[in-house]
Amino acid sequence: MEGIPDLGRVRWLAILLPTLAIGIFEFMRHQWLAPVLPPWLGHGWPGNLLGALVVGGVTYGFTRIFSGMVAGAALTAARAREEAAVLVERQRLGREMHDSVAQALFYLTVRLDEVSGLVAAGDRGGATQELAAVREDVRATHGHVRSVISDLKRQADGEDFGEAMRRAARETAERLKIRVTCRVSEDARVPAAVKGQLVAIVKEALTNAQRHGGAEHAVVTVKRRGKGTELEVTDRGRGFDPGAVRGEDHYGLAIMEERALMAGGALRVSSAPGAGTSVTVWMPAPEDR
């Protein structure tokens, strides 16, 4: 990393330079200074004491130098970690906004294009109905954005995982006007860093269940399974063929899969026409990551 000295080289310098300095001093004292110094200073114990003082002075000097280098390296590394943390947080915020606001605006744009087509075709009744539906979507999007902002604040405050999951299920149910049952096992554990990703997956899965599957009831279950934690969102909606998904529906599934991978887990979607949908995420235990 730029600005951080090679600590291996610093360690060797800390060993070699004092040793070299002391060796040079002793060589000079015995070879060159002894003939001109009094015998008691050149060869007696006062000379040895002087040598010890020189050793202490050289060691102290080099210790100060190397301590400054190490302290500077630690400060540079700490700043680099802070900058990396800020960058990661900015990327996370950007992803949250992209996955919520950008997707919602794209969806509303498509709906408004449909309204324009109806108006151009002279179908005022159809346009009026479509506008009413768009109005409801705008309200839902507003509630979703407020929910995302609330999630970000609670993540910063360190909200408990189980409580975060139950709150996300409750708020999403109120926004979508569906019934959601949420069960979180006490022994379910996930790393704090990925809690937000799992909460977002639950919200996306519930939104898809209502918007595309027409589900009136969904169940969110978080439990311990094997050496990890399993998150499952199931509904009894219309279901679909996962292999035939296109467009916006595929985008929503891709977002959930990407979030699961970023959290270090794996996502599986099981569904069939008329058989409802099950979205499952398995996360390894924190100590196994």
Side-chain angles (χ1 to χ4, degrees):
M1 189 177 296
E2 186 177 356
I4 299 179
D6 184 349
L7 294 183
R9 184 166 56 184
V10 170
R11 183 166 53 247
W12 279 108
L13 289 175
I15 296 172
L16 295 176
L17 290 182
T19 303
L20 183 61
I22 293 167
I24 292 175
F25 170 78
E26 287 298 318
F27 177 81
M28 293 176 60
R29 184 165 74 94
H30 289 286
Q31 297 296 321
W32 295 339
L33 298 179
V36 299
L37 291 175
W40 58 270
L41 186 59
H43 299 284
W45 67 265
N48 294 332
L49 178 60
L50 178 61
L53 292 175
V54 171
V55 170
V58 170
T59 302
Y60 175 76
F62 280 115
T63 300
R64 289 288 302 272
I65 293 173
F66 293 134
S67 295
M69 293 176 66
V70 172
L75 180 61
T76 302
R79 288 174 177 171
R81 285 194 297 269
E82 290 177 0
E83 291 175 358
V86 169
L87 179 60
V88 169
E89 183 65 11
R90 286 176 178 173
Q91 291 174 339
R92 185 177 71 87
L93 291 174
R95 188 166 52 252
E96 294 288 350
M97 292 298 100
H98 180 271
D99 293 351
S100 57
V101 179
Q103 183 183 10
L105 291 177
F106 171 77
Y107 176 71
L108 291 174
T109 300
V110 172
R111 298 293 297 274
L112 288 173
D113 287 341
E114 293 176 358
V115 173
S116 297
L118 291 171
V119 172
D123 186 357
R124 288 177 171 262
T128 301
Q129 292 180 357
E130 192 68 20
L131 279 175
V134 170
R135 186 180 296 110
E136 291 301 317
D137 288 334
V138 170
R139 290 197 183 106
T141 300
H142 177 255
H144 183 56
V145 171
R146 288 177 61 88
S147 176
V148 169
I149 294 173
S150 177
D151 281 346
L152 294 175
K153 182 179 183 303
R154 285 186 171 90
Q155 288 175 31
D157 293 340
E159 184 182 25
D160 174 74
F161 172 66
E163 181 56 35
M165 195 61 67
R166 285 185 284 269
R167 177 186 52 78
R170 182 175 62 253
E171 292 180 352
T172 307
E174 292 173 356
R175 176 171 59 86
L176 299 175
K177 294 181 174 54
I178 64 173
R179 218 163 33 90
V180 177
T181 302
C182 184
R183 307 186 186 100
V184 181
S185 174
E186 292 295 331
D187 59 353
R189 294 180 297 121
V190 299
V194 304
K195 178 179 66 177
Q197 301 286 7
L198 298 183
V199 169
I201 289 174
V202 167
K203 290 189 172 187
E204 182 68 26
L206 292 174
T207 300
N208 290 341
Q210 189 274 337
R211 178 178 292 175
H212 305 300
E216 298 179 352
H217 179 227
V219 178
V220 177
T221 306
V222 184
K223 61 185 178 181
R224 187 83 171 175
R225 187 173 72 82
K227 293 186 177 180
T229 297
E230 182 181 79
L231 162 67
E232 186 178 35
V233 182
T234 59
D235 68 76
R236 294 299 177 188
R238 288 188 291 268
F240 64 97
D241 179 3
V245 175
R246 296 290 184 274
E248 182 192 353
D249 295 347
H250 181 270
Y251 182 64
L253 293 176
I255 287 175
M256 290 193 292
E257 184 173 14
E258 179 186 359
R259 286 185 178 279
L261 290 174
M262 293 180 63
L267 181 137
R268 184 180 71 255
V269 178
S270 301
S271 185
T277 302
S278 174
V279 176
T280 305
V281 179
W282 186 82
M283 292 287 303
E287 58 269 19
D288 295 335
R289 292 169 59 82

